[in-house]
Amino acid sequence: MKMEQIKLSGIIITFNEEENIGRCIESLKDVCDEILVVDSFSTDRTKDIALSHNTRFIENPWKGFLDQKNFAQDSANFNYVLQVDADEELSEELKKSILSVKSNWSQDGYIFNRFTNYCGRWIKHSGWYPDAKLRLYDRRKGKWDGLDPHPSVSMDSESNTQHIKGDLLHYSYVNYEDHINRSAKYAKQAAIAMHTLGKKPSNFKLIFSPAFRFFNSYILRGGFKDGFEGLIICKTASYYTFLKYMYLKLIHKGESIK
């Protein structure tokens, strides 16, 4: 017996994404039955562009990635959701896989790889590919969990998942300075989240974790194969790790890092 095709909500959270939002929405149109944009009061043309594509548009105050993604998930019209970021788009192969899944939904969640473009170059190593993401799922069986600024979807223990073909194309950073500056910002957010969860600072991690992060991404995960961009990516990952533990130590000492 042929199963009835499920209805799918495409979800995007945004803040000042006028450069990316149109491309992202266009890639969802062929596979989603609604496209929901949850915006944290952008000051650029994000709202106008999203509305011009006939999306549902909701404004919600920013309390962090974790809260915003779960709020967006709960605000969707359908239980089956596809969450993507504004700087991502579905590849043609991934669209075909999702359409196939819609006609025969047999799992609780579906995983696919993310392929990142960094300063104009597609990164195939450095720990960035394959970057498996669970973004297509039954919201009754999963929710966003983990630490800001990099939460992920956590499924119920009895849930089933399956990997599907096709890449989620990610247009990350347009220049090196943007990457470095955002890494510093994200390190602060991560340190605050860790402190909230009762994590204690560690001199051992402050000293050795950044070095291991570079060795792991540049040597073990082949970052050197990505050329100069791979070197920048791996060095910045090490820098982020150092800052995260440094900020945690400062917070523990009672200093403000905001």
Side-chain angles (χ1 to χ4, degrees):
M1 181 176 66
K2 186 176 181 180
M3 294 183 60
E4 182 179 353
Q5 180 165 285
I6 58 100
K7 296 287 188 179
L8 183 64
S9 292
I11 303 171
I12 314 164
I13 67 169
T14 57
F15 177 71
N16 287 351
E17 291 285 358
E18 65 180 9
E19 298 296 326
N20 295 310
I21 189 62
R23 177 185 61 217
C24 181
I25 292 171
E26 282 294 330
S27 79
L28 298 181
K29 286 182 176 180
D30 292 337
V31 302
C32 295
D33 300 284
E34 77 154 340
I35 299 175
L36 170 63
V37 177
V38 176
D39 184 77
S40 49
F41 298 94
S42 290
T43 57
D44 65 358
R45 295 179 59 248
T46 296
K47 182 175 182 178
D48 292 338
I49 295 171
L51 291 176
S52 73
H53 285 275
N54 299 316
T55 64
R56 282 181 62 217
F57 191 88
I58 299 174
E59 291 176 311
N60 188 60
W62 180 258
K63 297 178 182 177
F65 286 97
L66 180 62
D67 285 346
Q68 195 77 331
K69 285 181 177 290
N70 278 320
F71 172 84
Q73 169 182 308
D74 293 341
S75 300
N77 281 330
F78 306 118
N79 286 322
Y80 301 95
V81 298
L82 170 65
Q83 281 225 30
V84 298
D85 293 333
D87 60 358
E88 297 170 340
E89 69 171 330
L90 309 182
S91 66
E92 291 302 317
E93 185 178 21
L94 183 54
K95 289 180 186 179
K96 292 178 182 178
S97 293
I98 294 173
L99 288 172
S100 177
V101 164
K102 285 184 67 179
S103 298
N104 185 26
W105 188 280
S106 60
Q107 306 293 317
D108 298 309
Y110 293 88
I111 301 166
F112 40 80
N113 292 335
R114 185 169 70 165
F115 195 16
T116 297
N117 187 294
Y118 177 76
C119 299
R121 177 170 181 157
W122 292 102
I123 303 301
K124 299 179 180 179
H125 310 92
S126 303
W128 279 23
Y129 190 83
D131 182 19
K133 300 293 182 184
L134 199 166
R135 301 285 193 82
L136 178 64
Y137 57 100
D138 183 340
R139 68 177 178 184
R140 294 167 296 188
K141 300 291 186 67
K143 66 177 183 177
W144 289 82
D145 198 4
L147 296 176
D148 274 338
H150 301 296
S152 58
V153 176
S154 177
M155 303 296 292
D156 294 346
S157 58
E158 72 277 7
S159 297
N160 298 314
T161 61
Q162 177 182 331
H163 198 286
I164 59 176
K165 294 181 179 180
D167 290 330
L168 179 66
L169 304 178
H170 179 213
Y171 299 88
S172 60
Y173 304 99
V174 295
N175 57 62
Y176 307 132
E177 184 179 21
D178 180 35
H179 185 196
I180 294 169
N181 290 339
R182 271 202 266 172
S183 291
K185 176 183 176 182
Y186 290 160
K188 287 183 181 181
Q189 294 174 1
I192 292 170
M194 291 167 67
H195 178 71
T196 301
L197 292 177
K199 304 280 187 181
K200 303 298 182 183
S202 164
N203 286 334
F204 180 86
K205 288 185 177 180
L206 180 64
I207 295 169
F208 293 104
S209 290
F212 177 76
R213 181 71 182 269
F214 178 79
F215 178 77
N216 182 54
S217 57
Y218 193 69
I219 303 300
L220 300 183
R221 298 196 174 191
F224 62 91
K225 297 178 183 179
D226 290 317
F228 181 69
E229 287 79 10
L231 177 61
I232 298 299
I233 288 169
C234 298
K235 288 290 287 184
T236 305
S238 174
Y239 173 63
Y240 164 84
T241 303
F242 169 76
L243 288 180
K244 178 175 66 175
Y245 289 112
M246 181 195 75
Y247 287 134
L248 180 61
K249 191 175 185 65
L250 293 177
I251 295 171
H252 191 69
K253 291 170 63 177
E255 298 185 25
S256 175
I257 64 169
K258 296 182 179 179

